[in-house]
Amino acid sequence: MALSGPQSEQDKKSLEDATHDMASQAHAHLTAARNLYNKLDPKVGLMAFLPAVSCDLYLKALEQNNFDPFVTSLQYGQRTPLQYQLKLLSSLVKRSF
């Protein structure tokens, strides 16, 4: 299953459920990090939290693909590498993640 994906519908459903649970936890942690960031000096904290931009893109793409981790378009949150870099730059300029 690790390389080729689930072999049966039951395995696929179980994997999607587990992925959904993990993605929900990750989203909760991301929300908590955003709340903490609002309490910090934006100049200091932004560089530490900037990698969370890619996490947010990935979680959104995962949700759009019904929490199927074997979808190949999940890389870069379904964006081209250039769009991904522009999103990072935009977040840096806006001082948000």
Side-chain angles (χ1 to χ4, degrees):
M1 182 168 101
L3 297 177
S4 63
Q7 302 300 320
S8 69
E9 280 300 315
Q10 178 63 28
D11 288 345
K12 183 177 180 180
K13 177 70 174 140
S14 297
L15 182 62
E16 287 173 356
D17 289 344
T19 304
H20 179 268
D21 290 344
M22 286 187 280
S24 296
Q25 286 293 320
H27 184 70
H29 285 285
L30 191 56
T31 301
R34 285 182 174 135
N35 290 335
L36 288 173
Y37 173 71
N38 292 332
K39 297 176 184 176
L40 295 174
D41 178 13
K43 292 179 184 177
V44 176
L46 181 62
M47 295 310 270
F49 287 109
L50 199 57
V53 172
S54 64
C55 295
D56 188 46
L57 292 173
Y58 184 80
L59 290 172
K60 287 177 182 175
L62 195 58
E63 184 177 12
Q64 290 173 350
N65 287 288
N66 201 27
F67 300 100
D68 183 0
F70 289 99
V71 173
T72 57
S73 64
L74 289 176
Q75 188 177 17
Y76 299 113
Q78 294 184 318
R79 296 171 185 256
T80 65
L82 178 60
Q83 289 172 323
Y84 175 73
Q85 293 297 322
L86 290 173
K87 176 65 176 170
L88 284 176
L89 181 61
S90 170
S91 295
L92 186 61
V93 170
K94 292 179 185 176
R95 298 192 181 280
S96 66
F97 67 96

